[in-house]
Amino acid sequence: MALALGDPDDGYYITRDPLGRAGDFVTAPEISQMFGEIVGIWLVEAWRALGAPLPVRLVELGPGRGTLMADILRVIARLAPSLAAGLDLHLVETSPALRARQAAVLASSGITPSWHSAFAEVPAGPMLLVANEFFDALPIRQFVQADGTWRERVVGLDDDGRLAFGLGPGALVGDAPARLLREAEPGAVLEVSPASTAVMNAIAERIAREGGAALAIDYGHAETALGDTFQAVKAHAFADPLAEPGSADLTAHVDFGALARAARAAGAGVLGPITQGDFLLAMGLLERAGRLGAPLDEAGREAIRAAVERLAGPQQMGTLFKVMAVVPTPIGVAPFPG
Ligand SMILES: C[S@@+](CC[C@H](N)C(=O)[O-])C[C@H]1O[C@@H](n2cnc3c(N)ncnc32)[C@H](O)[C@@H]1O
């Protein structure tokens, strides 16, 4: 999974901009500016609740086309000019194609970002961090319950020399709750993402030590659960993940239970996760939609209504996507709906 997505020559993200209607998938910031504006409001409120530290790092993991950050920066400039003047911007991005796109989109903000290949390269200090649809792109490992033991699912070659799934001897890793493992039926699949928990652990460790707040938004489950969620998506449709490695987006649902444990283990506090629908509605999505739609004609208002439905509707992104915040303890400093 890591090679298919990140190989320096042929990795899926390295060779293209996969977002948008002409690409393989559409993300929330690409649906409407309202998403990034609301995330920006949360970051401003969190910064104030933390005592308005300056200077402060504004960090985004996996910024895609830069749309989310452009919307966040516009809101910060309007609501908190001193924060806008005192922040430095750090983008963690492995894709040269998307770095170029981010540079172009953010040029008009007047803030010059620094790019990094990994979170560990972001300089120390208080930070406000956002990661939308970042953790789902990090590699997972799958373990299958077979005859009372957990065996790792591996990729090998079948008799015809084609890539095929099989079972290896690997011993179970991770910290899934013992009850979940005990009750698993034969054939049950457990997914773990050591890459994701390592990044979350490092973020939380820094927030606990130096102050700050992080918001992780992604599709996934609030508690660790069994199930095979590994998927390939190409041109807005599901694809065979082994058919053409490097040509399709590979993802898995994010285990927010595991991310929360990783954050708490590092000494930080966790707020949520709650659903994206609850988060956006509590943060004023409908009010913002009303303001944006007021000067528009009926077609314009309908487009905004459709965007609200897509972002917050239970059949769309509203329930599947979750929002989780990481803050210093004692918590209660950063506002969080619900
Ligand atoms: C699904 S896109 C989400 C883009 C953006 N956050 C949005 O919401 O539109 C995933 C992003 O993470 C980046 N990415 C994927 N794997 C990464 C890794 N290991 N380290 C840093 N960035 C990565 C991709 O290049 C892309 O910018």
Side-chain angles (χ1 to χ4, degrees), residues 262-294:
R264 289 196 183 99
V270 172
L271 303 173
I274 61 174
T275 67
Q276 176 169 303
D278 284 350
F279 178 79
L280 293 177
L281 291 170
M283 291 288 298
L285 178 65
L286 296 181
E287 292 77 359
R288 182 64 184 133
R291 287 286 284 275
L292 273 181

PDB file of all heavy atoms in Angstrom, residues 262-294:
ATOM      1  N   ALA A 262      -3.734   6.379  20.839  1.00  0.00           N
ATOM      2  CA  ALA A 262      -2.370   6.853  20.583  1.00  0.00           C
ATOM      3  C   ALA A 262      -2.174   8.265  21.129  1.00  0.00           C
ATOM      4  O   ALA A 262      -1.108   8.600  21.667  1.00  0.00           O
ATOM      5  CB  ALA A 262      -2.077   6.817  19.081  1.00  0.00           C
ATOM      6  N   ALA A 263      -3.194   9.104  20.987  1.00  0.00           N
ATOM      7  CA  ALA A 263      -3.084  10.490  21.471  1.00  0.00           C
ATOM      8  C   ALA A 263      -3.042  10.521  22.998  1.00  0.00           C
ATOM      9  O   ALA A 263      -2.228  11.237  23.600  1.00  0.00           O
ATOM     10  CB  ALA A 263      -4.259  11.318  20.948  1.00  0.00           C
ATOM     11  N   ARG A 264      -3.911   9.730  23.630  1.00  0.00           N
ATOM     12  CA  ARG A 264      -3.945   9.724  25.104  1.00  0.00           C
ATOM     13  C   ARG A 264      -2.651   9.148  25.666  1.00  0.00           C
ATOM     14  O   ARG A 264      -2.136   9.626  26.688  1.00  0.00           O
ATOM     15  CB  ARG A 264      -5.141   8.908  25.605  1.00  0.00           C
ATOM     16  CG  ARG A 264      -6.469   9.606  25.358  1.00  0.00           C
ATOM     17  CD  ARG A 264      -7.596   8.998  26.188  1.00  0.00           C
ATOM     18  NE  ARG A 264      -8.849   9.659  25.842  1.00  0.00           N
ATOM     19  CZ  ARG A 264      -9.759   9.150  24.992  1.00  0.00           C
ATOM     20  NH1 ARG A 264      -9.569   7.959  24.449  1.00  0.00           N
ATOM     21  NH2 ARG A 264     -10.845   9.822  24.704  1.00  0.00           N
ATOM     22  N   ALA A 265      -2.121   8.125  24.983  1.00  0.00           N
ATOM     23  CA  ALA A 265      -0.876   7.501  25.471  1.00  0.00           C
ATOM     24  C   ALA A 265       0.265   8.513  25.467  1.00  0.00           C
ATOM     25  O   ALA A 265       1.217   8.384  26.244  1.00  0.00           O
ATOM     26  CB  ALA A 265      -0.523   6.294  24.602  1.00  0.00           C
ATOM     27  N   ALA A 266       0.170   9.519  24.598  1.00  0.00           N
ATOM     28  CA  ALA A 266       1.215  10.541  24.533  1.00  0.00           C
ATOM     29  C   ALA A 266       0.953  11.680  25.511  1.00  0.00           C
ATOM     30  O   ALA A 266       1.692  12.664  25.547  1.00  0.00           O
ATOM     31  CB  ALA A 266       1.308  11.086  23.111  1.00  0.00           C
ATOM     32  N   GLY A 267      -0.131  11.583  26.282  1.00  0.00           N
ATOM     33  CA  GLY A 267      -0.384  12.577  27.318  1.00  0.00           C
ATOM     34  C   GLY A 267      -1.288  13.715  26.903  1.00  0.00           C
ATOM     35  O   GLY A 267      -1.416  14.709  27.629  1.00  0.00           O
ATOM     36  N   ALA A 268      -1.923  13.615  25.738  1.00  0.00           N
ATOM     37  CA  ALA A 268      -2.824  14.678  25.292  1.00  0.00           C
ATOM     38  C   ALA A 268      -4.269  14.313  25.607  1.00  0.00           C
ATOM     39  O   ALA A 268      -4.574  13.164  25.950  1.00  0.00           O
ATOM     40  CB  ALA A 268      -2.657  14.913  23.790  1.00  0.00           C
ATOM     41  N   GLY A 269      -5.160  15.285  25.488  1.00  0.00           N
ATOM     42  CA  GLY A 269      -6.586  15.049  25.652  1.00  0.00           C
ATOM     43  C   GLY A 269      -7.242  14.883  24.292  1.00  0.00           C
ATOM     44  O   GLY A 269      -6.760  15.415  23.293  1.00  0.00           O
ATOM     45  N   VAL A 270      -8.341  14.134  24.273  1.00  0.00           N
ATOM     46  CA  VAL A 270      -9.048  13.865  23.022  1.00  0.00           C
ATOM     47  C   VAL A 270     -10.484  14.343  23.164  1.00  0.00           C
ATOM     48  O   VAL A 270     -11.142  14.068  24.167  1.00  0.00           O
ATOM     49  CB  VAL A 270      -9.027  12.351  22.718  1.00  0.00           C
ATOM     50  CG1 VAL A 270      -9.928  12.023  21.533  1.00  0.00           C
ATOM     51  CG2 VAL A 270      -7.602  11.885  22.441  1.00  0.00           C
ATOM     52  N   LEU A 271     -10.978  15.083  22.157  1.00  0.00           N
ATOM     53  CA  LEU A 271     -12.382  15.501  22.114  1.00  0.00           C
ATOM     54  C   LEU A 271     -13.042  14.797  20.934  1.00  0.00           C
ATOM     55  O   LEU A 271     -12.514  14.798  19.837  1.00  0.00           O
ATOM     56  CB  LEU A 271     -12.480  17.017  21.941  1.00  0.00           C
ATOM     57  CG  LEU A 271     -11.759  17.846  23.004  1.00  0.00           C
ATOM     58  CD1 LEU A 271     -11.772  19.323  22.622  1.00  0.00           C
ATOM     59  CD2 LEU A 271     -12.412  17.648  24.355  1.00  0.00           C
ATOM     60  N   GLY A 272     -14.175  14.179  21.159  1.00  0.00           N
ATOM     61  CA  GLY A 272     -14.835  13.390  20.125  1.00  0.00           C
ATOM     62  C   GLY A 272     -14.258  11.983  20.095  1.00  0.00           C
ATOM     63  O   GLY A 272     -13.720  11.528  21.105  1.00  0.00           O
ATOM     64  N   PRO A 273     -14.309  11.295  18.938  1.00  0.00           N
ATOM     65  CA  PRO A 273     -14.829  11.783  17.669  1.00  0.00           C
ATOM     66  C   PRO A 273     -16.349  11.931  17.665  1.00  0.00           C
ATOM     67  O   PRO A 273     -17.048  11.219  18.369  1.00  0.00           O
ATOM     68  CB  PRO A 273     -14.395  10.689  16.672  1.00  0.00           C
ATOM     69  CG  PRO A 273     -14.295   9.448  17.488  1.00  0.00           C
ATOM     70  CD  PRO A 273     -13.854   9.892  18.851  1.00  0.00           C
ATOM     71  N   ILE A 274     -16.800  12.900  16.854  1.00  0.00           N
ATOM     72  CA  ILE A 274     -18.222  13.040  16.561  1.00  0.00           C
ATOM     73  C   ILE A 274     -18.374  12.999  15.041  1.00  0.00           C
ATOM     74  O   ILE A 274     -17.374  13.044  14.323  1.00  0.00           O
ATOM     75  CB  ILE A 274     -18.809  14.350  17.132  1.00  0.00           C
ATOM     76  CG1 ILE A 274     -18.126  15.576  16.521  1.00  0.00           C
ATOM     77  CG2 ILE A 274     -18.708  14.369  18.640  1.00  0.00           C
ATOM     78  CD1 ILE A 274     -18.770  16.900  16.933  1.00  0.00           C
ATOM     79  N   THR A 275     -19.607  12.897  14.576  1.00  0.00           N
ATOM     80  CA  THR A 275     -19.771  12.811  13.121  1.00  0.00           C
ATOM     81  C   THR A 275     -19.519  14.178  12.481  1.00  0.00           C
ATOM     82  O   THR A 275     -19.722  15.231  13.109  1.00  0.00           O
ATOM     83  CB  THR A 275     -21.183  12.335  12.746  1.00  0.00           C
ATOM     84  OG1 THR A 275     -22.123  13.344  13.125  1.00  0.00           O
ATOM     85  CG2 THR A 275     -21.519  11.010  13.408  1.00  0.00           C
ATOM     86  N   GLN A 276     -19.114  14.131  11.225  1.00  0.00           N
ATOM     87  CA  GLN A 276     -18.885  15.387  10.491  1.00  0.00           C
ATOM     88  C   GLN A 276     -20.170  16.214  10.424  1.00  0.00           C
ATOM     89  O   GLN A 276     -20.141  17.440  10.519  1.00  0.00           O
ATOM     90  CB  GLN A 276     -18.380  15.065   9.081  1.00  0.00           C
ATOM     91  CG  GLN A 276     -18.195  16.292   8.209  1.00  0.00           C
ATOM     92  CD  GLN A 276     -17.442  15.991   6.931  1.00  0.00           C
ATOM     93  OE1 GLN A 276     -16.320  15.488   6.978  1.00  0.00           O
ATOM     94  NE2 GLN A 276     -18.011  16.290   5.785  1.00  0.00           N
ATOM     95  N   GLY A 277     -21.308  15.530  10.268  1.00  0.00           N
ATOM     96  CA  GLY A 277     -22.585  16.243  10.220  1.00  0.00           C
ATOM     97  C   GLY A 277     -22.818  17.019  11.512  1.00  0.00           C
ATOM     98  O   GLY A 277     -23.136  18.215  11.484  1.00  0.00           O
ATOM     99  N   ASP A 278     -22.654  16.349  12.650  1.00  0.00           N
ATOM    100  CA  ASP A 278     -22.862  17.023  13.938  1.00  0.00           C
ATOM    101  C   ASP A 278     -21.882  18.182  14.108  1.00  0.00           C
ATOM    102  O   ASP A 278     -22.240  19.259  14.599  1.00  0.00           O
ATOM    103  CB  ASP A 278     -22.688  16.030  15.095  1.00  0.00           C
ATOM    104  CG  ASP A 278     -23.890  15.116  15.245  1.00  0.00           C
ATOM    105  OD1 ASP A 278     -24.920  15.377  14.594  1.00  0.00           O
ATOM    106  OD2 ASP A 278     -23.794  14.125  15.993  1.00  0.00           O
ATOM    107  N   PHE A 279     -20.639  17.948  13.733  1.00  0.00           N
ATOM    108  CA  PHE A 279     -19.616  18.987  13.887  1.00  0.00           C
ATOM    109  C   PHE A 279     -19.973  20.224  13.056  1.00  0.00           C
ATOM    110  O   PHE A 279     -20.013  21.346  13.570  1.00  0.00           O
ATOM    111  CB  PHE A 279     -18.247  18.439  13.473  1.00  0.00           C
ATOM    112  CG  PHE A 279     -17.136  19.445  13.538  1.00  0.00           C
ATOM    113  CD1 PHE A 279     -16.538  19.779  14.747  1.00  0.00           C
ATOM    114  CD2 PHE A 279     -16.683  20.089  12.387  1.00  0.00           C
ATOM    115  CE1 PHE A 279     -15.516  20.719  14.811  1.00  0.00           C
ATOM    116  CE2 PHE A 279     -15.669  21.027  12.435  1.00  0.00           C
ATOM    117  CZ  PHE A 279     -15.087  21.336  13.657  1.00  0.00           C
ATOM    118  N   LEU A 280     -20.256  20.011  11.780  1.00  0.00           N
ATOM    119  CA  LEU A 280     -20.501  21.162  10.895  1.00  0.00           C
ATOM    120  C   LEU A 280     -21.782  21.900  11.282  1.00  0.00           C
ATOM    121  O   LEU A 280     -21.817  23.136  11.275  1.00  0.00           O
ATOM    122  CB  LEU A 280     -20.584  20.689   9.435  1.00  0.00           C
ATOM    123  CG  LEU A 280     -19.280  20.145   8.829  1.00  0.00           C
ATOM    124  CD1 LEU A 280     -19.527  19.649   7.406  1.00  0.00           C
ATOM    125  CD2 LEU A 280     -18.182  21.206   8.827  1.00  0.00           C
ATOM    126  N   LEU A 281     -22.809  21.145  11.643  1.00  0.00           N
ATOM    127  CA  LEU A 281     -24.074  21.813  11.997  1.00  0.00           C
ATOM    128  C   LEU A 281     -23.912  22.593  13.291  1.00  0.00           C
ATOM    129  O   LEU A 281     -24.364  23.741  13.401  1.00  0.00           O
ATOM    130  CB  LEU A 281     -25.197  20.783  12.101  1.00  0.00           C
ATOM    131  CG  LEU A 281     -25.589  20.159  10.747  1.00  0.00           C
ATOM    132  CD1 LEU A 281     -26.520  18.977  10.940  1.00  0.00           C
ATOM    133  CD2 LEU A 281     -26.227  21.203   9.825  1.00  0.00           C
ATOM    134  N   ALA A 282     -23.236  22.004  14.281  1.00  0.00           N
ATOM    135  CA  ALA A 282     -23.037  22.717  15.558  1.00  0.00           C
ATOM    136  C   ALA A 282     -22.154  23.949  15.383  1.00  0.00           C
ATOM    137  O   ALA A 282     -22.276  24.922  16.113  1.00  0.00           O
ATOM    138  CB  ALA A 282     -22.418  21.773  16.590  1.00  0.00           C
ATOM    139  N   MET A 283     -21.267  23.899  14.385  1.00  0.00           N
ATOM    140  CA  MET A 283     -20.365  25.037  14.160  1.00  0.00           C
ATOM    141  C   MET A 283     -20.973  26.081  13.227  1.00  0.00           C
ATOM    142  O   MET A 283     -20.294  27.044  12.860  1.00  0.00           O
ATOM    143  CB  MET A 283     -19.040  24.530  13.555  1.00  0.00           C
ATOM    144  CG  MET A 283     -18.177  23.709  14.512  1.00  0.00           C
ATOM    145  SD  MET A 283     -17.382  24.691  15.811  1.00  0.00           S
ATOM    146  CE  MET A 283     -16.349  25.785  14.847  1.00  0.00           C
ATOM    147  N   GLY A 284     -22.232  25.896  12.797  1.00  0.00           N
ATOM    148  CA  GLY A 284     -22.899  26.968  12.065  1.00  0.00           C
ATOM    149  C   GLY A 284     -23.007  26.781  10.562  1.00  0.00           C
ATOM    150  O   GLY A 284     -23.135  27.766   9.820  1.00  0.00           O
ATOM    151  N   LEU A 285     -23.003  25.528  10.092  1.00  0.00           N
ATOM    152  CA  LEU A 285     -23.073  25.287   8.649  1.00  0.00           C
ATOM    153  C   LEU A 285     -24.326  25.905   8.017  1.00  0.00           C
ATOM    154  O   LEU A 285     -24.247  26.560   6.960  1.00  0.00           O
ATOM    155  CB  LEU A 285     -23.042  23.773   8.370  1.00  0.00           C
ATOM    156  CG  LEU A 285     -23.147  23.352   6.906  1.00  0.00           C
ATOM    157  CD1 LEU A 285     -21.940  23.828   6.106  1.00  0.00           C
ATOM    158  CD2 LEU A 285     -23.281  21.828   6.771  1.00  0.00           C
ATOM    159  N   LEU A 286     -25.476  25.738   8.676  1.00  0.00           N
ATOM    160  CA  LEU A 286     -26.719  26.231   8.060  1.00  0.00           C
ATOM    161  C   LEU A 286     -26.729  27.761   8.017  1.00  0.00           C
ATOM    162  O   LEU A 286     -27.173  28.359   7.034  1.00  0.00           O
ATOM    163  CB  LEU A 286     -27.938  25.705   8.820  1.00  0.00           C
ATOM    164  CG  LEU A 286     -28.110  24.176   8.779  1.00  0.00           C
ATOM    165  CD1 LEU A 286     -29.358  23.752   9.530  1.00  0.00           C
ATOM    166  CD2 LEU A 286     -28.146  23.672   7.341  1.00  0.00           C
ATOM    167  N   GLU A 287     -26.238  28.380   9.089  1.00  0.00           N
ATOM    168  CA  GLU A 287     -26.195  29.844   9.122  1.00  0.00           C
ATOM    169  C   GLU A 287     -25.280  30.370   8.008  1.00  0.00           C
ATOM    170  O   GLU A 287     -25.601  31.325   7.298  1.00  0.00           O
ATOM    171  CB  GLU A 287     -25.687  30.334  10.490  1.00  0.00           C
ATOM    172  CG  GLU A 287     -26.635  30.072  11.649  1.00  0.00           C
ATOM    173  CD  GLU A 287     -26.636  28.626  12.155  1.00  0.00           C
ATOM    174  OE1 GLU A 287     -25.904  27.784  11.591  1.00  0.00           O
ATOM    175  OE2 GLU A 287     -27.379  28.332  13.111  1.00  0.00           O
ATOM    176  N   ARG A 288     -24.126  29.718   7.850  1.00  0.00           N
ATOM    177  CA  ARG A 288     -23.188  30.149   6.805  1.00  0.00           C
ATOM    178  C   ARG A 288     -23.796  29.939   5.424  1.00  0.00           C
ATOM    179  O   ARG A 288     -23.668  30.793   4.530  1.00  0.00           O
ATOM    180  CB  ARG A 288     -21.871  29.360   6.931  1.00  0.00           C
ATOM    181  CG  ARG A 288     -20.821  29.756   5.932  1.00  0.00           C
ATOM    182  CD  ARG A 288     -20.370  31.192   6.144  1.00  0.00           C
ATOM    183  NE  ARG A 288     -19.427  31.621   5.127  1.00  0.00           N
ATOM    184  CZ  ARG A 288     -19.506  32.783   4.476  1.00  0.00           C
ATOM    185  NH1 ARG A 288     -20.473  33.646   4.758  1.00  0.00           N
ATOM    186  NH2 ARG A 288     -18.611  33.114   3.578  1.00  0.00           N
ATOM    187  N   ALA A 289     -24.489  28.811   5.248  1.00  0.00           N
ATOM    188  CA  ALA A 289     -25.127  28.534   3.959  1.00  0.00           C
ATOM    189  C   ALA A 289     -26.168  29.606   3.650  1.00  0.00           C
ATOM    190  O   ALA A 289     -26.275  30.085   2.511  1.00  0.00           O
ATOM    191  CB  ALA A 289     -25.762  27.149   3.977  1.00  0.00           C
ATOM    192  N   GLY A 290     -26.922  30.012   4.674  1.00  0.00           N
ATOM    193  CA  GLY A 290     -27.932  31.046   4.482  1.00  0.00           C
ATOM    194  C   GLY A 290     -27.305  32.361   4.046  1.00  0.00           C
ATOM    195  O   GLY A 290     -27.798  33.030   3.122  1.00  0.00           O
ATOM    196  N   ARG A 291     -26.194  32.727   4.703  1.00  0.00           N
ATOM    197  CA  ARG A 291     -25.515  33.986   4.353  1.00  0.00           C
ATOM    198  C   ARG A 291     -24.962  33.940   2.935  1.00  0.00           C
ATOM    199  O   ARG A 291     -25.067  34.904   2.178  1.00  0.00           O
ATOM    200  CB  ARG A 291     -24.360  34.256   5.337  1.00  0.00           C
ATOM    201  CG  ARG A 291     -24.812  34.694   6.708  1.00  0.00           C
ATOM    202  CD  ARG A 291     -25.307  36.143   6.703  1.00  0.00           C
ATOM    203  NE  ARG A 291     -24.196  37.083   6.640  1.00  0.00           N
ATOM    204  CZ  ARG A 291     -23.533  37.510   7.706  1.00  0.00           C
ATOM    205  NH1 ARG A 291     -23.882  37.101   8.919  1.00  0.00           N
ATOM    206  NH2 ARG A 291     -22.534  38.348   7.580  1.00  0.00           N
ATOM    207  N   LEU A 292     -24.359  32.794   2.580  1.00  0.00           N
ATOM    208  CA  LEU A 292     -23.769  32.675   1.242  1.00  0.00           C
ATOM    209  C   LEU A 292     -24.846  32.687   0.163  1.00  0.00           C
ATOM    210  O   LEU A 292     -24.643  33.221  -0.925  1.00  0.00           O
ATOM    211  CB  LEU A 292     -22.991  31.353   1.129  1.00  0.00           C
ATOM    212  CG  LEU A 292     -21.543  31.318   1.577  1.00  0.00           C
ATOM    213  CD1 LEU A 292     -20.976  29.918   1.343  1.00  0.00           C
ATOM    214  CD2 LEU A 292     -20.703  32.352   0.845  1.00  0.00           C
ATOM    215  N   GLY A 293     -25.999  32.075   0.492  1.00  0.00           N
ATOM    216  CA  GLY A 293     -27.048  31.927  -0.510  1.00  0.00           C
ATOM    217  C   GLY A 293     -27.882  33.181  -0.696  1.00  0.00           C
ATOM    218  O   GLY A 293     -28.478  33.376  -1.760  1.00  0.00           O
ATOM    219  N   ALA A 294     -27.921  34.056   0.326  1.00  0.00           N
ATOM    220  CA  ALA A 294     -28.851  35.193   0.303  1.00  0.00           C
ATOM    221  C   ALA A 294     -28.767  36.027  -0.981  1.00  0.00           C
ATOM    222  O   ALA A 294     -29.794  36.337  -1.581  1.00  0.00           O
ATOM    223  CB  ALA A 294     -28.651  36.056   1.543  1.00  0.00           C
TER     224      ALA A 294
END
